[in-house]
């Protein structure tokens, strides 16, 4: 999966929405605003992020 600067992402395990600040190889640096309105930074490998709008959809159930 590829991201670009400014994309909204989340960790695959959950957590706050973060904004991609920089990408160097497979390392992504993100910023987010914490509960106390304090700016925070997260630096991780690209593979642990997913797009913020990536949701798992359930197939439609058919009733008999």
């Amino acid at each position: 999966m590829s991201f670009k600067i400014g994309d909204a992402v989340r960790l695959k395990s959950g957590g706050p929405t973060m904004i991609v600040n920089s990408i160097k190889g497979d390392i992504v640096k993100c910023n987010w605003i914490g509960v106390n309105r304090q700016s925070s930074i997260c630096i991780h490998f690209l593979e642990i992020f997913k797009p913020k709008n990536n949701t798992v959809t359930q197939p439609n159930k058919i009733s008999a």
Side-chain angles (χ1 to χ4, degrees):
M1 178 158 296
S2 63
F3 298 108
K4 61 184 183 298
I5 294 173
D7 283 351
V9 297
R10 279 198 159 139
L11 296 175
K12 289 180 180 177
S13 61
T17 299
M18 297 177 269
I19 303 300
V20 175
N21 185 304
S22 67
I23 303 169
K24 292 183 181 176
D26 60 350
I27 303 292
V28 177
K29 179 179 176 183
C30 299
N31 290 52
W32 80 93
I33 303 299
V35 185
N36 58 359
R37 297 184 180 254
Q38 186 173 9
S39 179
S40 300
I41 298 172
C42 172
I43 301 172
H44 285 292
F45 288 103
L46 179 69
E47 67 228 16
I48 70 166
F49 291 99
K50 66 179 180 178
K52 180 187 177 243
N53 62 357
N54 186 9
T55 57
V56 177
T57 57
Q58 298 294 326
N60 292 335
K61 293 183 181 179
I62 300 174
S63 335

